[in-house]
């Protein structure tokens, strides 16, 4: 019998672990979905200068590598017009009186790095009409034109495809023109071999267009470093995009990226020519704040793809195949067995007393579905209602079941009352099962008042405390988001939990609480035996 | 290990009690014989084991209607839930008082702690029992109205209010350990260790108390009467142990707690049985149960009669 239990327990515990190993080593599945936290909270504040009743400013537009959610434009006292017909978006604020206030734009922005490697050769001759404006040559001083022609002769061979030409121009501007923020004209740049980021971008733009490659200067925002705590001032910076093989390819001669854009750069406008005047310091003052949004969410959808792609038996058994609401439910439910494991240890190994067997777990669920602070307070209110009700209705000599039902009804009234007068009800209404656990707990409340009369305050408080301690332990466990996802991703671990539960079920040793309970016995016994040995001369 | 002392003394822990003794030696189907005091009383009658006389068995609210009339036939009584535990829900009424005022007759009951209860309150309490308020599993229950037992004079100086009872742990029919529970003022006259009654360990060999505790603390004298608690000799000791041993034959539970009271006229009678007797008895005796249980399990001869098993226990423990 002992052997059998040993074998079963070992199997239950090790088999799922072996499965985990197989999944991660053989199938190369990740054991947890990837965390995504590259979301930015982006705030833009703009104030026009001078007496203007209307002004415009670029705002981010979704595109390759950039996703925008929760966009908000404060539009009180203004009319806001959003123009996103071109490759970029321009917001225009207007009012009856000259605008003296700041206007704000905020959004949640998800940035992904862009990378185009091995750009094929490009021999395009004609471009559609829409691209013609990116081919317009700019007015230059005659001596600059001469200098540029010399330059082109030096670096280009004349019969290359457009991709190679662009690459050569890129290398020239990136390496030969040194970064110097004081140099602000093309002429100076050509004569000194130095230039500001904007001048470098402009020079690249001129050279590309002269070779009949559609090109534009993009206005970007460099997102602050993750670890920098100081609020660094975020300014606009510039880079280029060229149209090769029917695609806009990012190029940054200032930071040395060809066909790449890292995910700490966000394009706010794709054609500098259009916004040159709009963003000039003479016309507006702006400030930008960007910080990483603190959301640790797991990218379930990506993981689902991964699981389905693996095409193993696990892909058929995976909970990721379920519809999303069911997934959410099971993430919570799969934690319950883990909670029972904690409960079993707390009760049978440590010896913490609790009201009812599963009350602590129900409380944990309640804390989780609402919030800890609220759950805690609400639980105590329910306890008070339970005790108060018994105290008041005791005189009426009601039978037990109707009386319990009255407590239940009172608690429901309490919920309604709270819902009507509370502002953060949204947090509860998201989950329509939020209050269910506390309703069940209510049925145990009457036991509390009976215990109070029969076993006294000390014992009751001890039990109440024990219940809360386990509930809080469970809550802490639940707040480990990775653990939740781990159970959801690998539900076979439930067998492991059963294995451990069997082990606890077979535990015949002392409970930690018994050490305290029999402490005096041990002390007295020792005293007595010592007393006897002392009597012997 | 912090448990080394406990192990050396052979203290029985809850997990061990349940896993090794209760689950293995107590057949689940026999539990009702112990948990339901009505069934215990029926069994005891056929086995000729003395128990307090049951005046009334109240099974439904309808029978409560005439309760105040019927109860007047008795001078005193005890109300018990048939499926109660740890003495919860038990009320002892030592006197029924009829009071006439302005032509209206009130019936009052004086409890053992001298508090007065209106008969309506008593009925309410009984209906609470019927609805399962005190039952082990919370199911609806039966109320027993039972004869009140008087205190044996030996305990006059050792008990405050209620009646002391003798708990005997019986393993496979052999008495293992025993204590007498003496009510105190702080236990509200109840013989319940949790509520502050005295637990005094008894030597099985001669029936004399060897040690006494209140809530796990060793005490020398009764806090209310001031009498020395060690050395008290329980009368009818052998009879009490034989009664406890017979209970094993009656309900066939290997691990059993028998609660016995000494009456002034009948000698020891069985009050109730318990399939999950508590472990506090070890503190009362300053001794562990495990060595005794193991001795019985490994060394005690099988198929002995109750009085032969008592011989074994009195000789060994």
């Amino acid at each position: 019998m002992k052997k059998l239990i040993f074998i079963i327990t070992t199997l239950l515990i090790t088999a799922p672990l072996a499965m985990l190993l197989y999944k991660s080593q053989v199938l190369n599945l990740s054991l947890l979905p990837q965390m995504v936290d590259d979301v930015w909270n982006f705030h833009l504040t703009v104030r026009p200068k001078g007496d203007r009743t209307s002004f415009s400013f670029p705002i981010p537009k979704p595109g390759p590598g950039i996703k925008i959610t929760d966009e908000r434009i404060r539009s009180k006292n203004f009319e806001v017009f959003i123009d996103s017909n071109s490759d970029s978006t321009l917001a225009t604020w207007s009012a009856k009186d000259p605008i003296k206030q700041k206007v704000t734009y905020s959004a949640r922005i998800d940035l992904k790095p862009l990378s185009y490697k091995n750009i094929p050769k490009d021999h395009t001759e004609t471009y559609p009409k829409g691209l013609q404006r990116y081919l317009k040559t700019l007015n230059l001083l005659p001596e600059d034109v001469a200098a540029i022609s010399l330059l082109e002769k030096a670096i280009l061979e004349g019969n290359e495809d457009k991709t190679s030409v662009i690459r050569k121009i890129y290398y020239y501007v990136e390496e030969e023109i040194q970064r110097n923020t004081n140099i602000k004209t093309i002429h100076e740049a050509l004569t000194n071999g130095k230039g500001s980021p904007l001048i470098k971008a402009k020079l690249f733009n001129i050279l590309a267009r002269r070779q009949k490659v559609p090109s534009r200067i993009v206005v970007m925002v460099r997102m602050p470093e993750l670890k920098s705590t100081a609020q660094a001032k975020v300014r606009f910076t510039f880079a280029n995009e060229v149209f090769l093989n029917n695609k806009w390819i990012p190029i940054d001669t200032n930071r040395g990226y060809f066909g790449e854009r890292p995910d700490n750069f966000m394009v706010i406008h794709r054609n500098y020519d259009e916004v040159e005047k709009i963003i000039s310091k003479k016309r507006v003052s702006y400030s930008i704040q960007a910080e990483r949004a603190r959301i640790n969410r797991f990218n379930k959808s990506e993981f689902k793809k991964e699981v389905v792609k693996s095409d193993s038996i696990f892909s058929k058994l995976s909970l990721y195949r379920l519809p999303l609401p069911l997934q959410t439910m099971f993430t919570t439910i799969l934690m319950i067995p883990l909670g029972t494991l904690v409960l079993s240890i707390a009760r049978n190994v440590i010896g913490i007393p609790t009201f009812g067997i599963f009350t602590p777990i129900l409380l944990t669920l309640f804390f989780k579905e609402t919030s800890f602070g609220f759950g805690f307070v609400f639980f105590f209110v329910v306890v008070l209602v339970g005790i108060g009700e018994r105290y008041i209705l005791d005189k009426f000599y009601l039978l037990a079941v109707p009386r319990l039902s009255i407590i239940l009804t009172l608690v429901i009234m309490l919920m309604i009352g709270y819902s009507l007068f509370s502002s953060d009800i949204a947090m509860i209404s998201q989950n329509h099962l939020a209050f269910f656990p506390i309703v069940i707990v209510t049925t145990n409340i009457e036991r509390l008042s009976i215990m109070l009369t029969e076993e006294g305050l000390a014992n009751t408080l001890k039990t109440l405390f024990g219940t809360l301690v386990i509930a809080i332990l469970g809550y802490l466990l639940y707040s480990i988001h990775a653990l939740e996802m781990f159970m959801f991703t690998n539900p076979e671990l439930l067998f492991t939990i059963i294995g451990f539960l069997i082990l606890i079920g077979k535990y015949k040793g002392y409970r930690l609480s018994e050490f305290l309970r029999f402490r005096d016995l041990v002390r007295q016994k020792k005293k007595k035996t010592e007393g006897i040995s002392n009597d012997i001369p | 290990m912090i448990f080394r002392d406990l192990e050396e003394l052979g203290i029985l822990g809850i997990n061990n009690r349940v896993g090794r003794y209760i689950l293995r030696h107590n057949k689940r189907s026999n539990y009702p014989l112990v948990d339901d005091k009505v069934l215990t009383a029926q069994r005891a009658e056929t086995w000729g084991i003395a128990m307090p006389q049951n005046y009334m068995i109240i099974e439904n609210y309808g029978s409560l209607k005439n309760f105040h009339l019927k109860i007047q036939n008795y001078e005193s009584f005890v109300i018990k839930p048939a499926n109660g535990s740890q003495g919860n829900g038990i009320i002892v009424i030592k006197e029924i008082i009829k009071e006439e005022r302005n032509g209206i007759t009130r019936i009052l009951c004086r409890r053992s702690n001298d508090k007065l209860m209106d008969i309506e309150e008593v009925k309410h309490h009984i209906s609470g029992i019927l609805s399962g308020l005190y039952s082990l599993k919370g199911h609806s229950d039966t109320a027993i109205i039972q004869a009140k037992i008087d205190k044996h004079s030996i305990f006059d100086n050792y008990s405050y209010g209620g009646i002391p009872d003798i708990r005997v742990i019986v393993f496979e029919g052999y008495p293992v350990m025993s204590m007498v529970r003496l009510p105190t003022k702080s236990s509200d006259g109840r013989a319940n260790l949790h509520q502050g009654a005295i637990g005094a360990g008894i030597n099985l060999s001669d029936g004399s108390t060897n040690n006494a505790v209140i809530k796990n603390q060793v005490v020398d004298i009764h806090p209310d009467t001031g009498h020395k608690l060690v050395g008290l000799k329980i009368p009818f000791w052998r009879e009490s142990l034989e009664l406890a041993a017979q209970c094993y034959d009656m309900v066939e539970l290997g691990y059993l707690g028998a609660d016995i009271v000494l009456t002034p006229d009948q000698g020891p009678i069985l009050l109730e049985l318990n399939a999950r007797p508590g472990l506090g008895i070890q503190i009362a005796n300053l001794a562990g149960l495990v060595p005794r249980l193991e001795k019985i399990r490994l060394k005690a001869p099988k198929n002995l009669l109750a009085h032969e098993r008592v011989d074994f226990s009195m000789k060994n423990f």
Side-chain angles (χ1 to χ4, degrees):
Chain A
M1 193 61 192
K2 260 187 187 163
K3 224 178 200 170
L4 188 69
I5 288 169
F6 178 76
I7 292 168
I8 291 173
T9 316
T10 317
L11 264 176
L12 281 170
I13 292 175
T14 51
L17 297 177
M19 262 205 274
L20 282 190
L21 218 65
Y22 174 74
K23 278 204 277 191
S24 64
Q25 299 303 314
V26 182
L27 297 177
N28 274 324
L29 280 173
S30 13
L31 293 179
L32 268 181
Q34 286 298 306
M35 291 267 269
V36 270
D37 63 354
D38 50 355
V39 178
W40 294 90
N41 281 327
F42 179 83
H43 307 278
L44 172 70
T45 315
V46 194
R47 187 166 47 193
K49 289 178 177 168
D51 285 340
R52 285 190 288 149
T53 55
S54 160
F55 76 102
S56 303
F57 207 80
I59 56 173
K61 182 178 182 172
I66 171 165
K67 255 190 246 165
I68 298 171
T69 47
D70 293 345
E71 251 184 331
R72 249 167 296 189
I73 297 179
R74 185 78 57 76
S75 61
K76 217 177 175 184
N77 311 330
F78 305 110
E79 274 197 52
V80 185
F81 173 69
I82 309 281
D83 172 18
S84 55
N85 286 330
S86 63
D87 292 328
S88 303
T89 304
L90 218 55
T92 304
W93 286 266
S94 51
K96 279 178 196 151
D97 302 313
I99 298 170
K100 292 287 170 202
Q101 281 167 276
K102 284 177 188 167
V103 298
T104 59
Y105 164 90
S106 65
R108 185 163 282 185
I109 292 172
D110 188 356
L111 294 176
K112 289 264 163 4
L114 285 185
S115 179
Y116 301 94
K117 281 181 186 136
N118 308 318
I119 303 155
K121 287 180 178 176
D122 188 331
H123 296 285
T124 319
E125 287 299 326
T126 54
Y127 291 95
K129 215 177 164 190
L131 289 174
Q132 291 304 324
R133 59 191 168 127
Y134 297 121
L135 288 165
K136 254 193 262 165
T137 46
L138 301 139
N139 295 328
L140 291 168
L141 296 170
E143 62 259 44
D144 290 345
V145 175
I148 287 171
S149 300
L150 273 174
L151 180 69
E152 284 169 345
K153 269 187 197 131
I155 60 170
L156 301 173
E157 284 163 23
N159 55 353
E160 295 153 299
D161 73 292
K162 287 185 170 172
T163 307
S164 311
V165 167
I166 288 300
R167 200 180 287 273
K168 283 187 170 162
I169 297 172
Y170 162 75
Y171 283 134
Y172 171 75
V173 179
E174 203 252 313
E175 283 173 20
E176 302 300 326
I177 310 291
Q178 283 174 29
R179 188 189 167 102
N180 186 327
T181 45
N182 294 326
I183 306 283
K184 291 198 167 138
T185 64
I186 298 288
H187 180 73
E188 280 177 295
L190 287 170
T191 43
N192 298 337
K194 291 174 183 166
S196 70
L198 178 59
I199 288 302
K200 283 179 86 171
K202 276 184 175 173
L203 184 58
F204 179 90
N205 201 37
I206 290 164
L207 292 171
R209 287 186 184 185
R210 279 172 64 86
Q211 300 302 317
K212 298 280 180 287
V213 180
S215 166
R216 62 195 186 190
I217 299 170
V218 294
V219 183
M220 303 193 303
V221 171
R222 183 187 198 140
M223 297 307 206
E225 292 290 320
L226 190 61
K227 276 171 195 155
S228 77
T229 44
Q231 282 283 338
K233 209 170 184 192
V234 181
R235 308 304 307 176
F236 288 149
T237 185
F238 306 93
N240 297 86
E241 280 183 356
V242 288
F243 197 74
L244 291 172
N245 296 300
N246 285 316
K247 238 184 265 160
W248 283 105
I249 305 293
I251 282 165
D252 192 336
T253 54
N254 287 300
R255 283 151 289 258
Y257 293 113
F258 187 88
E260 270 183 90
R261 182 182 297 135
D263 59 1
N264 57 337
F265 287 98
M266 183 191 75
V267 173
I268 198 162
H269 200 272
R270 291 197 164 78
N271 195 0
Y272 172 70
D273 301 346
E274 283 176 22
V275 291
E276 183 171 7
K277 290 207 180 73
I278 288 175
I279 62 173
S280 89
K281 277 180 198 159
K282 285 172 202 145
R283 292 172 68 97
V284 289
S285 66
Y286 67 88
S287 76
I288 291 167
Q289 278 185 323
E291 77 249 345
R292 292 263 190 201
R294 287 225 182 115
I295 39 171
N296 277 350
R297 58 194 170 83
F298 288 92
N299 195 341
K300 279 195 187 173
S301 56
E302 282 299 313
F303 190 74
K304 184 180 178 179
K305 281 182 213 152
E306 189 187 327
V307 169
V308 172
K309 216 165 61 191
S310 77
D311 198 33
S312 62
I313 175 114
F314 298 110
S315 69
K316 303 221 163 42
L317 293 174
S318 173
L319 290 174
Y320 286 90
R321 300 177 71 92
L322 294 172
L324 224 73
L326 268 183
Q327 286 193 22
T328 319
M329 193 186 82
F330 273 116
T331 13
T332 305
I333 285 182
L334 276 171
M335 287 295 281
I336 294 179
L338 215 56
T340 60
L341 192 63
V342 172
L343 181 74
S344 303
I345 293 171
R347 280 181 66 114
N348 288 332
V349 181
I350 304 173
I352 300 174
T354 62
F355 279 112
I357 296 173
F358 291 114
T359 308
I361 291 189
L362 288 168
L363 276 181
T364 299
L365 283 176
F366 181 58
F367 290 163
K368 187 187 180 278
E369 297 299 329
T370 55
S371 76
F372 183 70
F374 171 77
F376 204 77
V377 171
F378 199 88
F379 174 68
F380 271 100
V381 174
V382 168
V383 166
L384 288 181
V385 166
I387 294 173
E389 176 273 355
R390 197 175 159 79
Y391 182 74
I392 295 163
L393 292 189
D394 230 18
K395 316 271 179 301
F396 294 178
Y397 306 134
L398 299 183
L399 302 180
V401 177
R403 191 169 56 207
L404 276 177
S405 309
I406 288 173
I407 300 186
L408 213 65
T409 313
L410 283 176
V411 169
I412 287 167
M413 281 162 68
L414 206 66
M415 290 171 196
I416 295 171
Y418 175 78
S419 308
L420 286 179
F421 297 107
S422 163
S423 51
D424 55 340
I425 191 64
M427 118 198 140
I428 293 154
S429 62
Q430 277 169 6
N431 194 326
H432 48 278
L433 283 178
F435 272 116
F436 201 62
I438 198 82
V439 171
I440 304 170
V441 168
T442 306
T443 53
N444 278 324
I445 294 303
E446 168 125 339
R447 296 210 161 255
L448 188 140
S449 45
I450 293 170
M451 194 171 177
L452 208 57
T453 50
E454 288 187 342
E455 292 186 34
L457 186 67
N459 270 333
T460 311
L461 283 181
K462 219 192 278 174
T463 311
L464 193 64
F465 185 71
T467 309
L468 281 172
V469 163
I470 299 177
I472 290 167
L473 267 180
Y475 179 75
L476 290 178
L477 207 69
Y478 264 73
S479 60
I480 305 172
H481 201 50
L483 197 65
E484 216 175 48
M485 286 313 298
F486 194 63
M487 285 304 295
F488 182 78
T489 313
N490 311 295
E492 63 267 27
L493 286 172
L494 290 180
F495 288 107
T496 306
I497 291 179
I498 293 178
F500 280 119
L501 286 171
I502 291 178
L503 282 185
I504 297 170
K506 293 301 288 181
Y507 175 69
K508 292 199 190 67
Y510 297 106
R511 297 177 180 181
L512 224 52
S513 61
E514 283 168 346
F515 172 72
L516 296 177
R517 183 180 178 189
F518 295 114
R519 195 179 41 187
D520 284 315
L521 195 171
V522 172
R523 196 187 305 147
Q524 291 298 329
K525 188 81 187 176
K526 275 186 179 162
K527 213 194 265 172
K528 275 202 174 171
T529 43
E530 273 164 22
I532 289 166
S533 56
N534 286 348
D535 287 347
I536 299 164
Chain B
M1 266 298 275
I2 56 166
F3 296 130
R4 213 191 60 211
D5 286 334
L6 298 187
E7 257 160 35
E8 274 174 9
L9 289 173
I11 303 295
L12 185 67
I14 293 178
N15 293 333
N16 206 2
R17 176 191 70 173
V18 175
R20 194 161 282 143
Y21 298 102
I22 292 185
L23 288 179
R24 281 178 200 215
H25 294 271
N26 288 359
K27 237 165 82 184
R28 187 80 226 186
S29 55
N30 289 346
Y31 273 40
L33 290 177
V34 171
D35 290 342
D36 187 338
K37 293 182 183 75
V38 177
L39 290 180
T40 315
Q42 284 170 359
R43 228 350 123 98
E45 210 179 335
T46 52
W47 278 76
I49 289 175
M51 282 187 81
Q53 190 197 344
N54 285 350
Y55 293 153
M56 274 182 251
I57 308 287
I58 301 173
E59 288 174 319
N60 47 51
Y61 302 105
S63 353
L64 264 181
K65 224 183 228 169
N66 298 321
F67 177 77
H68 60 283
L69 297 176
K70 282 191 233 158
I71 204 63
Q72 290 178 43
N73 299 331
Y74 308 102
E75 284 174 2
S76 62
F77 61 98
V78 178
I79 307 166
K80 274 183 187 177
N83 285 293
S85 71
Q86 294 185 347
N88 291 341
I90 296 178
I91 286 185
V92 181
I93 303 294
K94 62 179 182 187
E95 193 186 356
I96 301 170
I97 308 158
K98 261 174 140 183
E99 206 181 60
E100 278 211 26
R101 209 183 280 167
N102 308 333
I104 300 160
T105 319
R106 270 181 86 200
I107 301 166
L108 294 169
C109 298
R110 192 187 300 279
R111 289 179 60 178
S112 54
N113 57 10
D114 285 323
K115 283 179 192 154
L116 283 174
M117 264 178 115
D118 191 276
I119 192 78
E120 282 308 312
E121 273 180 87
V122 175
K123 280 187 182 180
H124 170 60
H125 181 78
I126 296 172
S127 72
I129 292 174
L130 294 182
S131 60
L133 213 50
Y134 306 98
S135 111
L136 283 170
K137 294 167 208 134
H139 297 164
S140 59
D141 201 356
T142 304
I144 301 173
I145 313 298
Q146 201 170 64
K148 178 179 161 291
I149 303 153
D150 290 322
K151 188 165 35 177
H152 191 280
S153 56
I154 183 94
F155 294 122
D156 282 350
N157 295 326
Y158 294 95
S159 145
Y160 181 92
I163 312 287
D165 70 357
I166 298 162
R167 156 68 59 89
V168 184
I169 304 270
V170 183
F171 182 56
E172 293 297 315
Y174 292 87
V176 182
M177 200 176 267
S178 179
M179 68 172 163
V180 59
R181 292 180 290 201
L182 306 164
T184 60
K185 198 173 183 178
S186 64
S187 82
D188 199 17
R190 295 184 189 200
N192 186 330
L193 294 190
H194 288 290
Q195 285 165 332
I198 296 165
I202 307 174
N203 296 327
L204 289 195
S205 53
D206 60 359
S208 59
T209 55
N210 51 32
N211 177 56
V213 291
I214 294 179
K215 287 202 171 175
N216 297 352
Q217 297 286 325
V218 172
V219 285
D220 294 329
I221 54 164
H222 194 291
D224 306 318
T225 67
H227 272 75
K228 211 164 167 280
L229 289 165
V230 176
L232 167 71
K233 212 156 167 1
I234 310 286
F236 301 107
W237 182 238
R238 198 188 157 88
E239 289 83 347
S240 301
L241 288 183
E242 279 180 19
L243 178 66
Q246 279 167 4
C247 292
Y248 163 74
D249 302 306
M250 177 171 96
V251 296
E252 290 175 28
L253 290 171
Y255 190 85
L256 191 68
D259 293 346
I260 292 163
V261 278
L262 293 182
T263 59
D265 40 1
Q266 275 178 283
I269 66 168
L270 178 67
L271 194 63
E272 64 175 71
L273 292 171
N274 200 317
R276 311 160 193 82
L279 299 169
I281 195 168
Q282 300 176 106
I283 306 172
N285 279 279
L286 288 188
L289 274 164
V290 176
R292 299 188 184 186
L293 292 169
E294 287 304 290
K295 189 164 198 173
I296 290 166
R297 197 169 69 85
L298 301 168
K299 303 247 173 73
K302 304 269 176 281
N303 303 318
L304 293 187
L305 292 172
H307 73 268
E308 294 168 324
R309 296 195 296 260
V310 171
D311 286 337
F312 179 91
S313 292
M314 288 179 81
K315 211 170 88 195
N316 283 288
F317 310 129

